Amino acid sequence: MIKTIKNYLLFLLLATCSVVFAQEEEKEIDTEIINVVKPYTPKVSDAFKIKENPTLTDSTTTKRKTVNYRIFSQPVASTFTPAKGKAEVIQKAPREKLYDTYIGFGLGNFNTAKLDFYTTQEIDRDTDLNISLKHHSSQGGIDNVILDDKFFDTDLGLKFSRNERDFSWEANGGLQHQLYNWYGLTIPTTFSDQQIAVIDPQQNFLSGFIGGEITFEDGIFKGVDLNVRRSWDSFDSRETHIVINPSIQFPIENELITATFTADYLTGAFDREYFNNVGLSYQYLKTGLSGGLTLLRDDVTLNLGAAVYYGFNAETEDGDVFIYPRVTASYRLVDEYVILFGGVEGDLVQNNYYKFYQDNRFVSPTLNVIPTDVKYDAYVGMKGKLSANVGYSVQGGFSVKNDHPFYVSNPANNLLNDQGYSYGNSFGVIYDNVKTLSFSGKLSYEISSDLSLSARATIYDYKTDNIDTAWNLPEVTANAMVDYQINKNWYLGGSIFYTGARQNNVFPIDPNRAATTLKSFFDINSYLGYRISEKFTIFMNINNLTNQNYQKWENYPVQGFQFLAGITYGFDLK
């Protein structure tokens, strides 16, 4: 045994030595070139499912034993009683009581009186009747004014509306009485006391209208609206204005087409022209079609349209066709923070005596009335939010208008000294073509639901064709407003209006006579109110807080510091 082990160890030693010597001799390995016929592509062999199931070959198998059991329910005695949860009560602001009828009345200096009345009555579930009455008057008292400067303005409105199964309709109407005085004599005046004593500067302007509209829920025909206004004054002036606008709307695939037909008829007459006793009349008819295609996408709204009108002057029997663009667009660039918008629009504007009188109460009833051709009004801007409670809007625009109206002073006319407006104390209207470049910006800040601020400013640059400047149009306007709900009872607010300098002249324009510059002015107003109860509120308004007798129109200073206090009462008629 031992001899065998020795022989085995000796053999192992000899084999190891031979391997070592062999490695020491093969110090260099020859290089060979191996040509690969094709790249190696490994493959996975298909798997074969074993079709045979294993079988149990044991001679004995263990059988499951059936276990029979029953559950005995035993109640567990417990003395624990859980405390009942109580929901947390959310403090709700009391809902403001809304009444169907409100009436307010106030008195102030300059013997000022103000009345506001409004009621809405539900006749049945589908029928409502609204009635409103507004009155504002003053007995005057402006410093350094020779003629009577009182005014009186009353407006009554009615509206009846009803909802039917497939459409809704409403009928409305109203009456308006305005009494104003041409008190704007030049100071110092060239008229004698005897001449001034016989001047009756009072003008009574009355207007009434009836109208209505029908709106259909389904179908191509969407509705029609009608308005008829009749105006007249104490100098035998008269005017009738009728406007009817039926409209249709229908989809094409996913887009919407709208179209509106317009028939606008205006006729009126004045007892005389300003420089002679010849009567003055006007009569215009505007008919046409406007409409377009509305495209709505995720962040883009695009309106592609146009308007085609035929304007006919019945006095001269002249007519012409007017074509205007109606294109607007908006693009939501960054959610609600940056929204780009722009457009190009035009229109044939039907000027009228009622519109001129509402804009300037001191026009004479001797006006030349013609329409204005707004070739186009192009604008582009950006609006949105700077933060959750700060909003903004900036805009630039350029417009081209033919026959734009401008107010100018009438000269004293000795031939018409029996008229209260013929002493150089009234305004006429002249027309010229004007190009207007404008820039505006607006900023609003809602500090909370109870306090909000807003401000807006606009700069204008005018270029006229024939007249020296855009008479009585300011180059800068601005305003700022604040509203503050102090608590459930107290509230206050205010506003500031700024109007830049304007130029005025007397027509006919005399090149040797210098134009008048009206100074810029601020008008600061404020209000304060206290709710005594759900029904009663007392209020106080202060206008022209800085007591400036500025002139919006030449020789027409306004009332200075104005104070008015009153009470409002809300109740239900039923």
Side-chain angles (χ1 to χ4, degrees):
M1 181 66 179
I2 296 173
K3 186 179 181 180
T4 304
I5 294 174
K6 290 181 178 180
N7 293 334
Y8 177 77
L9 292 175
L10 181 60
F11 175 77
L12 183 60
L13 179 61
L14 294 174
T16 303
C17 292
S18 63
V19 172
V20 173
F21 291 139
Q23 289 182 350
E24 291 179 355
E25 292 177 358
E26 297 176 359
K27 294 181 180 179
E28 295 183 0
I29 299 176
D30 296 334
T31 58
E32 295 183 2
I33 298 175
I34 301 174
N35 296 322
V36 179
V37 177
K38 65 177 180 178
Y40 171 69
T41 305
K43 293 183 179 179
V44 179
S45 301
D46 295 335
F48 298 96
K49 183 178 180 181
I50 299 176
K51 297 181 180 180
E52 295 181 356
N53 295 324
T55 57
L56 185 63
T57 58
D58 290 347
S59 58
T60 60
T61 59
T62 303
K63 294 182 179 180
R64 292 184 179 180
K65 184 177 180 179
T66 303
V67 178
N68 296 322
Y69 61 92
R70 289 184 298 174
I71 298 175
F72 296 94
S73 298
Q74 183 68 29
V76 178
S78 175
T79 59
F80 172 75
T81 303
K84 295 182 178 180
K86 185 178 181 180
E88 185 68 21
V89 178
I90 300 176
Q91 297 295 331
K92 294 182 179 180
R95 179 179 297 178
E96 183 179 357
K97 173 65 176 178
L98 299 178
Y99 298 97
D100 59 30
T101 305
Y102 285 87
I103 184 170
F105 179 74
L107 294 174
N109 61 338
F110 296 99
N111 292 320
T112 301
K114 193 170 184 179
L115 171 68
D116 285 306
F117 171 80
Y118 176 80
T119 183
T120 176
Q121 298 300 315
E122 184 179 297
I123 299 176
D124 55 43
R125 187 177 64 178
D126 300 317
T127 308
D128 293 323
L129 174 65
N130 298 333
I131 304 174
S132 65
L133 175 64
K134 295 182 178 181
H135 170 82
H136 187 200
S137 63
S138 172
Q139 297 305 309
I142 301 175
D143 295 336
N144 301 320
V145 169
I146 299 176
L147 300 178
D148 190 0
D149 61 321
K150 67 181 179 182
F151 69 86
F152 179 101
D153 196 335
T154 303
D155 191 357
L156 172 66
L158 303 172
K159 185 174 75 171
F160 182 86
S161 59
R162 180 171 176 81
N163 295 322
E164 304 291 350
R165 180 177 180 180
D166 299 322
F167 65 94
S168 60
W169 62 276
E170 70 175 42
N172 51 56
L175 291 172
Q176 188 174 17
H177 177 206
Q178 297 169 291
L179 182 153
Y180 283 83
N181 286 274
W182 289 290
Y183 62 87
L185 286 182
T186 303
I187 304 297
T189 181
T190 58
F191 297 102
S192 65
D193 293 340
Q194 291 78 11
Q195 289 175 310
I196 294 175
V198 298
I199 298 176
D200 181 10
Q202 182 172 292
Q203 162 71 302
N204 282 279
F205 186 89
L206 297 99
S207 179
F209 77 94
I210 58 172
E213 64 176 342
I214 302 176
T215 304
F216 293 91
E217 299 295 333
D218 301 316
I220 295 178
F221 185 66
K222 299 306 296 181
V224 59
D225 61 83
L226 170 69
N227 188 79
V228 179
R229 180 177 290 277
R230 176 73 173 176
S231 302
W232 65 99
D233 63 19
S234 53
F235 292 85
D236 294 330
S237 307
R238 56 196 181 276
E239 180 180 79
T240 302
H241 193 192
I242 304 173
V243 181
I244 182 171
N245 294 307
S247 61
I248 61 174
Q249 186 180 84
F250 56 92
I252 296 181
E253 295 183 354
N254 296 326
E255 316 304 341
L256 193 64
I257 300 291
T258 59
T260 300
F261 176 78
T262 297
D264 188 331
Y265 175 71
L266 176 71
T267 180
F270 296 104
D271 185 56
R272 63 179 70 183
E273 295 180 352
Y274 189 79
F275 295 101
N276 54 57
N277 292 326
V278 177
L280 181 64
S281 61
Y282 52 94
Q283 189 175 184
Y284 296 97
L285 176 63
K286 166 188 167 183
T287 58
L289 184 68
S290 63
L293 171 67
T294 301
L295 302 175
L296 299 176
R297 297 298 182 263
D298 293 338
D299 297 316
V300 178
T301 300
L302 180 62
N303 295 302
L304 301 174
V308 180
Y309 295 120
Y310 177 72
F312 180 70
N313 186 341
E315 295 291 327
T316 61
E317 297 184 353
D318 292 331
D320 201 355
V321 176
F322 301 86
I323 301 176
Y324 302 103
R326 295 284 176 86
V327 179
T328 61
S330 66
Y331 174 57
R332 191 180 299 272
L333 184 62
V334 184
D335 294 331
E336 59 184 5
Y337 296 98
V338 179
I339 301 174
L340 306 178
F341 64 91
V344 180
E345 300 178 90
D347 198 5
L348 182 62
V349 179
Q350 194 81 288
N351 295 313
N352 54 77
Y353 183 32
Y354 177 81
K355 177 182 176 182
F356 288 144
Y357 189 81
Q358 300 310 311
D359 190 29
N360 184 349
R361 302 290 199 276
F362 311 111
V363 293
S364 62
T366 60
L367 303 179
N368 179 27
V369 178
I370 63 175
T372 296
D373 176 17
V374 182
K375 291 294 186 181
Y376 63 87
D377 185 358
Y379 57 91
V380 63
M382 180 174 64
K383 62 182 179 179
K385 290 185 175 182
L386 298 176
S387 64
N389 53 358
V390 178
Y392 71 93
S393 176
V394 292
Q395 177 178 324
F398 182 76
S399 65
V400 176
K401 300 178 182 179
N402 289 348
D403 295 325
H404 184 277
F406 297 92
Y407 297 107
V408 290
S409 293
N410 287 322
N413 187 353
N414 295 328
L415 298 177
L416 299 178
N417 278 347
D418 58 332
Q419 306 298 325
Y421 56 83
S422 62
Y423 295 83
N425 55 338
S426 64
F427 291 86
V429 176
I430 62 174
Y431 298 85
D432 195 14
N433 303 333
V434 60
K435 298 179 178 66
T436 306
L437 179 66
S438 64
F439 297 95
S440 65
K442 181 180 180 181
L443 191 66
S444 61
Y445 182 25
E446 187 173 347
I447 301 174
S448 66
S449 59
D450 298 324
L451 178 60
S452 62
L453 306 169
S454 65
R456 181 184 180 92
T458 306
I459 300 174
Y460 302 95
D461 181 67
Y462 308 100
K463 183 179 180 181
T464 54
D465 285 355
N466 300 313
I467 61 178
D468 295 335
T469 186
W471 304 120
N472 283 293
L473 291 183
E475 295 182 352
V476 179
T477 60
N479 64 73
M481 298 183 181
V482 58
D483 290 296
Y484 183 33
Q485 182 72 43
I486 302 174
N487 53 41
K488 66 177 182 180
N489 298 110
W490 289 95
Y491 64 90
L492 61 82
S495 60
I496 301 176
F497 296 92
Y498 173 79
T499 301
R502 290 92 58 221
Q503 297 286 321
N504 181 51
N505 212 329
V506 178
F507 183 82
I509 305 298
D510 185 351
N512 297 321
R513 181 178 55 231
T516 304
T517 300
L518 301 178
K519 296 180 180 180
S520 60
F521 63 87
F522 281 96
D523 193 344
I524 304 176
N525 310 304
S526 64
Y527 63 86
L528 176 67
Y530 177 75
R531 293 184 176 90
I532 302 174
S533 64
E534 289 186 346
K535 292 187 176 182
F536 287 96
T537 300
I538 57 175
F539 65 89
M540 177 181 66
N541 295 341
I542 298 177
N543 296 331
N544 198 356
L545 189 61
T546 56
N547 193 28
Q548 295 187 31
N549 288 109
Y550 62 83
Q551 296 182 21
K552 182 178 179 181
W553 307 104
E554 185 176 4
N555 296 325
Y556 280 90
V558 301
Q559 294 176 345
F561 179 86
Q562 303 163 41
F563 172 84
L564 184 141
I567 188 170
T568 62
Y569 175 58
F571 59 97
D572 292 325
L573 284 179
K574 295 182 180 179

